Amino acid sequence: MNNSEVIQNDFDRIANGDDDEWNHNNHYHNFLLRQIPDESINALEIGCGKGEFSRILATKVKSVESIDLSPVMIQKAIEHSKLFPNIIYQTGNIMELPLEDNSYDYIVSIAVFHHLELEEILPKLRRALKPNGVIAILDLYEQSTMIEYLLNLFAIPLNKFHLITKKGKKIKTEEEIEAWIEHLKHDKYMDTNQLRKVYTKLLPASKFKIHLLWRYSMIWHK
């Protein structure tokens, strides 16, 4: 089983979890929405999961194309998006799917890029982005400095606060817990020095920022 098949299997299992619970990624939805260029027409979301952000995005732009490796995730997304005819969902590996040049005003991805080869995917997305378009990435990183360590240490009580106030008393099932534990075994992250080097090389003038809750963002205007 290759890496993409392993990841697909992980997320096929994870797809059966709670649809409404708060997590570290949707904490940054508003930040990502603020990056949408004015007068944007169409957007692409890479790794859309069950379509939560795609549905929000569909209220801001005319059309959304959403791609995910997991067919179970895509099926869930379609089921939850019946009121959003301007979203097109597709199962597939973004590394293999063709993208037309100058096609999207906004390309976004949440907690997916640590699964991808940045040297391959970034030039592909750069070509697919329209002039004046924006690429917005939110992902995880490996801490490598004392400042990052302290920032993540501070995030621990904040994380507990959010878990209590936003997730309430919801408890994951044993299957959900096992699915996430198995998936985390396959996760590998680049440190911030490596990430900055790659983004600066392939997307000059990109804006790289460390956030609380173990996330970073990369914003690039074409």
Side-chain angles (χ1 to χ4, degrees), residues 100-161:
E100 293 186 11
D101 290 356
N102 303 312
S103 297
Y104 305 101
D105 298 294
Y106 183 62
I107 298 176
V108 63
S109 184
I110 302 173
V112 171
F113 263 48
H114 60 280
H115 295 303
L116 305 178
E117 294 294 333
L118 297 187
E119 297 272 358
E120 295 181 32
I121 190 61
L122 291 177
K124 182 176 183 177
L125 298 185
R126 180 172 180 166
R127 292 190 299 270
L129 193 67
K130 293 179 183 178
N132 301 315
V134 169
I135 296 175
I137 307 302
L138 183 78
D139 202 21
L140 297 87
Y141 68 94
E142 182 73 33
Q143 65 185 31
S144 59
T145 69
M146 181 58 68
I147 292 176
E148 292 164 5
Y149 173 79
L150 293 174
L151 191 66
N152 290 332
L153 193 64
F154 175 76
I156 293 174
L158 179 64
N159 178 57
K160 290 183 178 180
F161 171 79

Side-chain angles (χ1 to χ4, degrees), residues 34-209:
R34 290 197 298 271
Q35 312 309 319
I36 301 174
D38 293 337
E39 301 180 358
S40 291
I41 296 174
N42 56 353
L44 170 68
E45 184 180 7
I46 300 167
C48 63
K50 289 182 261 189
E52 182 179 2
F53 189 70
S54 291
R55 289 187 287 276
I56 302 171
L57 193 54
T59 67
K60 307 294 183 181
V61 300
K62 185 175 180 179
S63 65
V64 179
E65 293 181 36
S66 301
I67 299 170
D68 200 277
L69 193 61
S70 165
V72 182
M73 285 287 190
I74 289 294
Q75 185 56 45
K76 294 276 188 180
I78 292 172
E79 291 172 1
H80 296 327
S81 303
K82 294 178 181 178
L83 299 179
F84 296 88
N86 58 332
I87 305 177
I88 299 174
Y89 288 108
Q90 180 178 0
T91 302
N93 185 340
I94 189 62
M95 302 297 293
E96 300 171 357
L97 292 174
L99 298 177
E100 293 186 11
D101 290 356
N102 303 312
S103 297
Y104 305 101
D105 298 294
Y106 183 62
I107 298 176
V108 63
S109 184
I110 302 173
V112 171
F113 263 48
H114 60 280
H115 295 303
L116 305 178
E117 294 294 333
L118 297 187
E119 297 272 358
E120 295 181 32
I121 190 61
L122 291 177
K124 182 176 183 177
L125 298 185
R126 180 172 180 166
R127 292 190 299 270
L129 193 67
K130 293 179 183 178
N132 301 315
V134 169
I135 296 175
I137 307 302
L138 183 78
D139 202 21
L140 297 87
Y141 68 94
E142 182 73 33
Q143 65 185 31
S144 59
T145 69
M146 181 58 68
I147 292 176
E148 292 164 5
Y149 173 79
L150 293 174
L151 191 66
N152 290 332
L153 193 64
F154 175 76
I156 293 174
L158 179 64
N159 178 57
K160 290 183 178 180
F161 171 79
H162 284 310
L163 290 175
I164 293 170
T165 60
K166 296 184 179 182
K167 292 181 70 169
K169 296 182 180 179
K170 291 181 180 179
I171 300 175
K172 288 185 180 296
T173 65
E174 185 175 337
E175 167 62 18
E176 286 180 79
I177 294 171
E178 289 180 358
W180 275 110
I181 289 174
E182 187 63 27
H183 174 65
L184 290 173
K185 293 178 183 178
H186 307 139
D187 270 359
K188 295 181 180 179
Y189 310 120
M190 298 172 69
D191 66 39
T192 51
N193 290 328
Q194 294 170 316
L195 289 165
R196 283 191 176 94
K197 183 177 180 180
V198 174
Y199 285 127
T200 300
K201 173 185 175 183
L202 298 175
L203 300 177
S206 57
K207 297 179 180 179
F208 185 90
K209 182 179 179 180

